Amino acid sequence: MLDREFFTRMPEAFQELERAFAALPEWDASVPGAGRLSEVLRESARRLGDNYPYFHPLYAGQMLKPPHPLARMAYTLAMWINPNNHALDGGRATSQMEKEAVAEIASMCGFATHLGHLTSGGTMANLEALWVAGLLHPGKRIVASAQAHYTHRRIGGVLRLPFAEVACDTRGRMDPDALEHSLRAGDVGCVVATAGSTAAGAVDPLPEIVQLRRRYPFRLHIDAAYGGYFTLAANLAPETRAALDLLGEADSVVIDPHKHGLQPYGCGAVLFRDPAVGTLYRHDSPYTYFTSGELHLGEISLECSRPGAAAAALWATQRLLPLTREGEFAQGLAACRRAALKLYGKLRDDPAFFTPFEPQLDILVWAPRGATTTEVSGRSREVFERAAGNGLHLAVAHLPAAFFAAKYPELRVEQERMACLRSVLMKPEHEAWVECIWEILQRSMV
Ligand SMILES: *Cc1c(COP(=O)(O)O)cnc(C)c1O
């Protein structure tokens, strides 16, 4: 069930790694607690069993995707060295691996030049991008859509930059007219566009937003933490394709390898188009070691210590599955979107459900039908519970009722937000499981 057989390859990899250190004199590396280690490890395994089965196709709820077995193995291997990518001296090999892996992501985004690095996740990566935006446009507003990740507002608070929301259309995408209305005030320093919203997988209309930059001087930051990799997928709708083709127009982009990049948690990435922003990070710490004339990653990162193991895992994964439009990695993304479209088609054709819009990526939102938003919210929660009881794990999302009312005018809107069901079909295996998911869903209806 779990990919245990992959771990049988670890001894060979450890031998290879040990060869590099064979000249070291023997030393006594005593391990405190060695006598009880196995017992505690088994106890840990028992505790970890108390989880939803995120790795299985019947987990079709939140945004959780199993790391590639190679990422797990390369991470484990690197942990034996435990390099710190804060500085070249702390992580010589893994700093280089990080630079190579990040350059591949930058090139996937269409950046001709870049400065970038890995972070602990998308939130830290967005914080850095908005910190830079704030230094370049001090005191000016940051605007993001009403469906942008909730952390942008909070980051605005941390950075003490004014933050404002821009309205969305009824598919969850930023409304360009509402954006222009904000821009006319003349005090917007940075527009955050979302390429793949976390709730509904909506991609903001980048062609229109990029166009607005000709008339208004703002920095464009694209939060593509979840959706960025879809630029490699061959089966996007034309408007989504047109938007993702413009990632390279941004001043900064955030992409999370721990979302769709097959990495374990602790791996986000921030990229800047202009490498000169590196000078904004200047610091003069007595702890930082400078034995190399080359710019090291600790000099262009807000975080200090960072796991070299995350870089090793990402580098290995991209070596095995390069970020190309033709490769197996891109085909996996296309399969996820096919899975979402397939399930969408079944729900749309069944009068028992509301389906507000076709998925742009691989996130699908829907709800059991009802006369009022109160009734739909209640039924959504019940179906969620019953499906879980039948072994199918969905998620409940709270979305603007307007998303549904736009397509179903008969729905009586009693609250602005309505609970509905949400599935992130982000495992390529989901495609083959749509029938089974559909069958369990039908059995779980109330
Ligand atoms: C997940 C996500 C984030 C936050 O990233 P973390 O890695 O969870 O910190 C930000 N923006 C979007 C669009 C996301 O999907």
Side-chain angles (χ1 to χ4, degrees):
M1 186 179 61
L2 301 173
D3 45 24
R4 265 182 303 187
E5 69 272 23
F6 287 103
F7 281 90
T8 60
R9 297 168 203 216
M10 289 306 292
E12 179 186 317
F14 276 121
Q15 267 172 19
E16 187 70 40
L17 178 60
E18 271 174 352
R19 263 196 272 284
F21 301 101
L24 289 172
E26 282 288 325
W27 85 109
D28 176 24
S30 69
V31 178
R36 275 191 349 106
L37 189 147
S38 300
E39 181 192 327
V40 177
L41 188 60
R42 268 200 309 278
E43 191 184 335
S44 308
R46 281 196 298 277
R47 292 295 295 263
L48 285 167
D50 178 25
N51 266 307
Y52 293 110
Y54 308 115
F55 47 85
H56 193 278
L58 284 179
Y59 184 86
Q62 310 283 6
M63 199 175 277
L64 290 142
K65 180 169 175 131
H68 192 280
L70 178 63
R72 292 177 169 145
M73 291 190 285
Y75 198 107
T76 306
L77 192 63
M79 264 195 299
W80 251 262
I81 306 286
N82 197 28
N84 183 341
N85 275 14
H86 165 60
L88 279 178
D89 325 41
R92 200 165 56 209
T94 46
S95 291
Q96 192 51 40
M97 290 162 117
E98 174 168 343
K99 285 186 184 180
E100 289 172 26
V102 168
E104 287 164 16
I105 296 176
S107 143
M108 173 184 81
C109 292
F111 278 179
T113 57
H114 79 280
L115 184 81
H117 61 88
L118 301 180
T119 62
S120 57
T123 306
M124 268 311 295
N126 280 318
L127 173 72
E128 278 193 38
L130 298 187
W131 175 67
V132 165
L135 291 175
L136 295 173
H137 295 280
K140 293 233 172 146
R141 280 196 297 166
I142 295 171
V143 298
S145 93
Q147 285 291 308
H149 201 266
Y150 72 94
T151 48
H152 289 288
R153 177 184 288 280
R154 191 183 279 178
I155 289 168
V158 170
L159 297 172
R160 296 187 179 273
L161 292 169
F163 175 90
E165 235 169 57
V166 176
C168 283
D169 66 13
T170 52
R171 291 167 55 195
R173 302 168 308 167
M174 182 185 276
D175 174 354
D177 293 332
L179 174 60
E180 180 157 22
H181 181 78
S182 276
L183 292 170
R184 275 199 213 104
D187 62 349
V188 173
C190 179
V191 173
V192 178
T194 303
S197 66
T198 319
V203 179
D204 283 347
L206 284 168
E208 284 87 344
I209 296 170
V210 165
Q211 201 66 28
L212 284 169
R213 210 166 38 163
R214 303 225 170 117
R215 283 183 285 134
Y216 301 93
F218 59 86
R219 261 182 93 75
L220 175 59
H221 171 62
I222 302 182
D223 180 359
Y226 145 72
Y229 285 110
F230 275 95
T231 189
L232 298 175
N235 58 350
L236 301 176
E239 63 169 2
T240 313
R241 174 83 270 155
L244 290 179
D245 279 348
L246 294 176
L247 289 178
E249 292 291 315
D251 296 294
S252 50
V253 172
V254 159
I255 294 200
D256 266 0
H258 71 200
K259 291 270 178 68
H260 250 304
L262 300 168
Q263 299 309 299
Y265 285 116
C267 195
V270 60
L271 304 164
F272 297 95
R273 187 154 46 103
D274 178 6
V277 302
T279 57
L280 298 170
Y281 286 85
R282 188 168 297 141
H283 64 82
D284 194 12
S285 149
Y287 314 109
T288 301
Y289 8 112
F290 291 95
T291 53
S292 153
E294 214 189 318
L295 178 91
H296 65 65
L297 293 162
E299 289 172 299
I300 54 153
S301 168
L302 278 187
E303 290 172 279
C304 183
S305 295
R306 292 176 313 114
L314 183 64
W315 182 91
T317 308
Q318 290 179 191
R319 189 119 180 132
L320 185 71
L321 302 169
L323 303 178
T324 61
R325 291 195 181 192
E326 301 75 37
E328 277 180 88
F329 178 75
Q331 283 163 19
L333 293 163
C336 295
R337 179 162 145 79
R338 278 199 303 276
L341 287 177
K342 206 162 143 188
L343 186 55
Y344 169 74
K346 287 180 180 294
L347 292 158
R348 182 200 50 206
D349 297 343
D350 186 327
F353 298 100
F354 285 143
T355 48
F357 40 72
E358 182 178 287
Q360 277 191 274
L361 303 174
D362 60 7
I363 300 181
L364 180 64
V365 294
W366 81 97
R369 248 175 221 261
T372 66
T373 47
T374 313
E375 189 186 332
V376 174
S377 291
R379 296 189 70 201
S380 294
R381 289 193 196 94
E382 277 180 70
V383 172
F384 166 79
E385 295 287 348
R386 289 176 59 133
N390 291 328
L392 170 65
H393 302 280
L394 307 169
V396 173
H398 295 89
L399 291 178
F403 287 9
F404 290 82
K407 183 164 164 196
Y408 305 99
E410 69 274 22
L411 174 68
R412 204 160 69 243
V413 177
E414 294 169 331
Q415 300 92 13
E416 204 184 313
R417 287 184 167 256
M418 187 176 81
C420 61
L421 293 164
R422 168 172 165 272
S423 275
V424 188
L425 297 178
M426 73 193 312
K427 296 185 268 278
E429 300 87 333
H430 274 135
E431 195 184 0
W433 280 74
V434 167
E435 293 299 336
C436 181
I437 290 172
W438 177 241
E439 188 268 313
I440 300 179
L441 179 60
Q442 285 187 313
R443 271 198 279 129
S444 311
M445 285 297 281
V446 285

